[in-house]
Amino acid sequence: MIGLRSEPLWSWALGSSNSVVTDSAAALTTLSDEERLVYDGVYDFADKEIRPLVRQMDEDGKIPRSLIDRLFELDVMGIEIPEASGGAGGTFFHSVLAVEALSRVDPSIGVLVDVQNTLVVNAVLRWGNDAQKQNYLPRLAQKSVGAYALSEAGSGSDAFALTTRATERGDGFALNGRKLWITNGNEADVFIVFATINSEAGYRGITAFLVERGTAGFTVGKKEDKLGIRASSTCELIFEDCQVRRANVLGEPGKGYKVAIETLNEGRIGIGAQMIGLAQGALDHAIRYTKERKQFGSAIADFQGVQFQIARAATELEAARLLVYNAARLRDAGRAFLREAAMCKLFSSEAAEHVTSLAVNLFGGYGFVKDYPVEKLYRDAKIGQIYEGTSNLQLQTIAKQILG
């Protein structure tokens, strides 16, 4: 199994000096032996241990803590965290593969792992000082779930129209305000919270803080009752004179906008991975069902009309995967990926909605009931066009990059 510290597979995979495919003739989707081991190991775990829990988690709107503990045991909660800090010592692309593999079974688990790795861990790795890394990285690798608190009721696509304030007080800051739509809110122990220390400075007043669950003045509020990815918690956070030490500023005061922008660019690739995993799961179900379902004496997969629809869905999914993998590989190579991240998030979320809708159609009446899995994946897919930047915001980003 991947990542178990008593077994060598994960460490062997990540011990290679070059885990990125270097054959210039290889396709972007061609995985190295190490990358294939990561993907297959995560998917095998998801198929065997997560799949039996999916429907109950969706109905309960909750991820069992025992399953979260297993994710930590398998090292998928700290993929890029160095081994010296208790992590897997992997690459960003490994995180993308893990999110994709998990989402093929349950996108709720995929987004839990995505936020942990592509947002929280990445932010601490890039912007944390030595003391913060020593404190938080081992915890994020081994036991603590992280959350990323940027959104508010009045600041969605306009991410920096924040009303949460951080006022200097003693050797720290007092936080006051509310955050909304915070993924992992119920499960998280560590929160990266964005607030403004100077409202007159606009985005240059935004500052990122590391806030721990249990801090006086900080409470987790209402959990949203959602259409899809229901097992993943989405919560309100409330700050009422929440005292945060100056040592818990992530990066520099007034530089929180840089933390947010750069981390969200990576997060969009993670959502792209969630969407292609989700779409692959729906297509798997559709292919299996059309081979088994018979009408007029033949499997419906024998009908050209069905074949053409599946072929088109597979083509769209492959195009989405190419975009996601390209953006992830560019990021690991240290090259610009802003446009590519926006493209992969835009296209993969639309592809996921199309593929899951087709799966429901091909299942017929069975696709409309909860006894079959495609109904859930169809509900799960919709969020892809909304969070981590709406589709319109991705289009705006792409246009700016193209037009200059």
Side-chain angles (χ1 to χ4, degrees):
M1 190 65 63
I2 60 94
L4 283 172
R5 293 180 175 84
S6 60
E7 297 184 13
L9 290 182
W10 179 271
S11 58
W12 175 82
L14 302 188
S16 168
S17 61
N18 184 10
S19 61
V20 178
V21 177
T22 56
D23 181 357
S24 60
L28 281 170
T29 52
T30 300
L31 302 182
S32 68
D33 290 342
E34 295 85 1
E35 292 165 347
R36 175 54 59 187
L37 184 61
V38 170
Y39 181 90
D40 289 347
V42 175
Y43 180 69
D44 183 65
F45 160 72
D47 190 43
K48 292 178 180 177
E49 299 192 36
I50 297 177
R51 196 179 296 279
L53 307 175
V54 170
R55 180 170 179 181
Q56 194 62 52
M57 289 192 297
D58 184 62
E59 292 180 354
D60 293 345
K62 184 178 181 181
I63 301 172
R65 181 66 210 194
S66 59
L67 179 53
I68 296 174
D69 290 340
R70 285 289 288 147
L71 293 169
F72 279 107
E73 289 174 13
L74 297 171
D75 285 340
V76 297
M77 296 295 276
I79 294 174
E80 289 188 79
I81 295 175
E83 291 183 42
S85 297
T91 66
F92 181 79
F93 191 72
H94 290 132
S95 297
V96 164
L97 290 174
V99 172
E100 178 188 359
L102 291 166
S103 300
R104 189 173 168 186
V105 174
D106 191 351
S108 289
I109 306 301
V111 77
L112 169 81
V113 172
D114 173 45
V115 168
Q116 179 85 358
N117 285 281
T118 71
L119 294 181
V120 178
V121 168
N122 256 324
V124 175
L125 282 171
R126 179 175 299 182
W127 298 98
N129 57 39
D130 289 343
Q132 290 168 343
K133 290 178 181 179
Q134 290 171 10
N135 181 18
Y136 289 103
L137 290 180
R139 293 164 55 187
L140 290 167
Q142 298 169 12
K143 64 180 181 180
S144 295
V145 176
Y148 192 84
L150 177 62
S151 296
E152 298 180 5
S155 61
S157 294
D158 184 7
F160 298 128
L162 302 182
T163 59
T164 299
R165 298 286 183 263
T167 306
E168 289 199 54
R169 184 177 298 175
D171 186 33
F173 296 84
L175 271 59
N176 284 279
R178 295 186 177 223
K179 295 292 181 178
L180 205 60
W181 315 117
I182 307 307
T183 302
N184 295 352
N186 267 355
E187 297 81 12
D189 299 304
V190 178
F191 298 76
I192 298 178
V193 180
F194 294 85
T196 183
I197 59 174
N198 182 0
S199 58
E200 296 179 359
Y203 72 89
R204 294 187 183 278
I206 305 299
T207 302
F209 298 88
L210 289 160
V211 183
E212 299 192 29
R213 181 181 290 273
T215 301
F218 168 42
T219 56
V220 177
K222 174 187 175 185
K223 176 180 177 293
E224 302 296 339
D225 188 9
K226 306 192 300 288
L227 170 73
I229 58 166
R230 291 177 53 78
S232 165
S233 67
T234 303
C235 301
E236 177 187 36
L237 308 182
I238 303 167
F239 301 91
E240 298 174 315
D241 282 335
C242 174
Q243 191 73 23
V244 180
R245 296 182 305 147
R246 190 174 298 273
N248 280 40
V249 172
L250 183 63
E252 299 177 27
K255 295 296 179 65
Y257 71 95
K258 289 180 65 67
V259 178
I261 289 174
E262 295 189 18
T263 310
L264 285 172
N265 289 336
E266 293 161 336
R268 286 164 185 163
I269 305 174
I271 297 304
Q274 181 199 29
M275 291 295 109
I276 61 174
L278 184 161
Q280 184 65 64
L283 190 59
D284 291 343
H285 289 302
I287 291 170
R288 189 180 307 113
Y289 181 78
T290 57
K291 288 181 177 180
E292 295 172 354
R293 173 67 168 170
K294 293 193 174 182
Q295 291 285 275
F296 308 104
S298 298
I300 61 174
D302 293 337
F303 301 143
Q304 190 178 71
V306 171
Q307 293 173 353
F308 284 5
Q309 292 181 82
I310 290 177
R312 191 173 294 278
T315 301
E316 194 170 359
L317 174 55
E318 181 69 3
R321 182 174 283 113
L322 285 163
L323 285 167
V324 173
Y325 283 17
N326 181 54
R329 293 198 188 280
L330 286 172
R331 188 273 188 189
D332 273 341
R335 297 171 61 182
F337 62 91
L338 173 59
R339 182 183 67 174
E340 289 78 8
M343 285 179 169
C344 85
K345 199 269 186 183
L346 170 73
F347 190 83
S348 64
S349 62
E350 293 178 349
E353 185 176 53
H354 297 163
V355 174
T356 55
S357 179
L358 173 63
V360 171
N361 290 346
L362 291 175
F363 269 72
Y366 293 118
F368 205 67
V369 298
K370 293 182 182 292
D371 291 337
Y372 291 80
V374 293
E375 173 270 344
K376 176 186 178 297
L377 291 172
Y378 180 57
R379 288 188 284 110
D380 289 345
K382 190 58 196 175
I383 190 61
Q385 297 178 49
I386 300 172
Y387 62 7
E388 297 283 350
T390 65
S391 291
N392 280 342
L393 190 60
Q394 305 313 314
L395 289 167
Q396 184 181 51
T397 298
I398 296 164
K400 285 182 178 179
Q401 292 295 302
I402 292 172
L403 298 173

